[in-house]
Amino acid sequence: LSPVCLGSLRRAASINAEYMGTVEELIGKNGSKQLHLRLFDSVNNCHSEWNQFCGVSCQINQTYKQYQSKSNKTGVKKRGYHAVKPLDISAEAALHMEIILYSQHTFTGVAIVELVAVHPVSEIAERVKRRCREEKKCEICSSTHELLRCSRCKAAWYRGVEHQQQDWMYHQKICHPYQPKPKLKRLHQMGDGANDGDEVVCGESRVSLRCPLTICRIQTPVRGVDCLHPQCMDLEGFLGFSNRCGVWQCPVCTKALKFDSLVIDEKMVEIINKTDEEVDQVRLFPDGTYTPISLEEVQREDRKSQMVRASKKEKVPTAWPLV
């Protein structure tokens, strides 16, 4: 064989070995990559979810793919942002794949196979922290001196062009045009005459230091830019819950809450760091001050509220008198 043929064979063997490594990583459940099949409806101009109602069945390597039957018909979930999940076909990955789609009714659209990188929740949480706090640190060496930042997103810092080139394979996937970081609405006291579009009028409120989703003590308190309440949730708890259920909404006010609208509440960070682990709730005042609420006080207020609800039920007549 000529040197040209030998070089071609070596490149083909290298590519084949790379593909085999990708297939093995896809089949393994703990891999950092997944193979997805996404369905797009070109008539309604939207993504379609793979379920028993989509009207399209999928056959991969002569085996029909089973869909997960799930129904999201509750009124609460309709208020949130629904992220349509693709069909995970990582378990069927192979060097040669035959995918056949069958339509049970008239369907006009496109099916796309995509190889995606899966990032852990902790890594996504770090993006939110860096976006909110703008920490200046090199992506490669973690240096904090003599840094230059990406001119497009203005969120990534590097100690020179060489470090930027080393990180470009990863950074190019998350680099977007610069946008000012979102800000939370400031809470102010009723009657101070300083109300505007960036402020929320509220009085004294009782705030829990436990996440409403995980019921664990909040580690990184966040809420949405459009949320009109001081109650926060845990960052990693919210990201994990929203990713699993596919609906992104605030668990307190049920408003749609996308990833880009998450903001760390630095005031709640200060409160959590200064209170003991035994404290689950604090009384928050509009002027920024707070007082911890003891467990006895919480139980006493809960009993009082239960008595009020019980008395209201007793006052409601079971039937109206006849006239």
Side-chain angles (χ1 to χ4, degrees):
L1 294 175
S2 64
V4 177
C5 295
L6 288 175
S8 300
L9 290 175
R10 291 194 187 98
R11 285 195 296 271
S14 176
I15 293 174
N16 188 50
E18 182 180 355
Y19 286 165
M20 283 297 299
T22 303
V23 170
E24 293 176 358
E25 188 176 1
L26 290 172
I27 297 176
K29 295 182 179 180
N30 298 326
S32 60
K33 295 179 181 179
Q34 289 183 359
L35 193 65
H36 291 169
L37 184 61
R38 192 175 292 275
L39 190 63
F40 184 80
D41 188 349
S42 59
V43 176
N44 299 319
N45 197 23
C46 64
H47 290 279
S48 296
E49 189 168 4
W50 292 91
N51 51 35
Q52 64 269 32
F53 306 109
C54 67
V56 178
S57 57
C58 177
Q59 181 181 348
I60 303 176
N61 296 336
Q62 299 181 356
T63 303
Y64 281 96
K65 182 70 176 178
Q66 299 294 328
Y67 303 146
Q68 292 183 356
S69 59
K70 183 180 66 173
S71 178
N72 294 332
K73 296 183 179 181
T74 59
V76 175
K77 289 191 174 182
K78 288 183 179 179
R79 298 188 61 182
Y81 174 76
H82 184 227
V84 178
K85 290 187 176 182
L87 182 64
D88 189 0
I89 58 175
S90 303
E92 290 79 16
L95 286 179
H96 304 282
M97 299 179 63
E98 182 184 35
I99 301 176
I100 302 176
L101 301 179
Y102 299 96
S103 177
Q104 282 75 35
H105 56 75
T106 304
F107 178 83
T108 304
V110 180
I112 301 175
V113 179
E114 53 186 13
L115 180 64
V116 300
V118 181
H119 302 280
V121 174
S122 57
E123 183 178 334
I124 305 300
E126 284 297 325
R127 294 187 193 178
V128 178
K129 295 177 183 179
R130 294 177 54 187
R131 182 186 65 199
C132 296
R133 294 169 176 170
E134 294 185 353
E135 182 181 3
K136 296 182 180 180
K137 184 175 64 174
C138 179
E139 300 289 337
I140 301 299
C141 64
S142 302
S143 175
T144 58
H145 302 286
E146 301 178 357
L147 299 179
L148 299 174
R149 65 178 178 180
C150 176
S151 60
R152 185 169 186 251
C153 66
K154 299 183 180 179
W157 296 82
Y158 303 97
R159 192 173 182 180
V161 180
E162 294 183 358
H163 286 188
Q164 183 188 25
Q165 293 176 350
Q166 293 180 25
D167 189 56
W168 179 243
M169 289 298 295
Y170 168 76
H171 181 67
Q172 65 178 342
K173 302 175 183 178
I174 61 174
C175 184
H176 301 285
Y178 170 76
Q179 293 181 353
K181 66 176 183 178
K183 296 182 180 180
L184 293 175
K185 296 182 182 296
R186 187 178 67 89
L187 305 177
H188 73 88
Q189 196 169 6
M190 289 183 293
D192 64 359
N195 186 22
D196 57 27
D198 295 331
E199 296 180 342
V200 180
V201 180
C202 72
E204 176 185 324
S205 57
R206 193 172 72 173
V207 180
S208 175
L209 302 184
R210 290 184 176 272
C211 177
L213 296 173
T214 63
I215 318 299
C216 298
R217 188 176 176 88
I218 298 176
Q219 302 298 324
T220 306
V222 294
R223 53 190 177 97
V225 293
D226 296 325
C227 293
L228 306 180
H229 51 79
Q231 179 63 53
C232 295
M233 55 205 164
D234 185 66
L235 174 58
E236 291 195 14
F238 174 77
L239 292 175
F241 180 83
S242 301
N243 178 59
R244 288 191 298 272
C245 67
V247 180
W248 293 73
Q249 69 177 13
C250 175
V252 180
C253 61
T254 67
K255 289 184 178 179
L257 180 54
K258 296 183 180 181
F259 170 80
D260 297 335
S261 301
L262 284 173
V263 184
I264 297 177
D265 192 335
E266 297 295 343
K267 181 60 181 178
M268 288 302 300
V269 172
E270 178 184 353
I271 294 175
I272 292 174
N273 293 334
K274 290 184 178 181
T275 54
D276 297 332
E277 292 289 335
E278 293 77 13
V279 177
D280 290 338
Q281 296 183 6
V282 296
R283 198 176 304 279
L284 186 63
F285 301 96
D287 58 357
T289 59
Y290 68 95
T291 56
I293 302 178
S294 61
L295 180 60
E296 292 77 9
E297 186 177 356
V298 172
Q299 294 176 351
R300 186 168 57 253
E301 291 185 0
D302 290 342
R303 286 195 298 268
K304 186 184 298 184
S305 61
Q306 291 176 2
M307 293 175 61
V308 171
R309 287 196 297 268
S311 62
K312 288 182 178 179
K313 290 181 179 180
E314 293 176 358
K315 293 180 181 179
V316 177
T318 57
W320 295 101
L322 297 176
V323 179

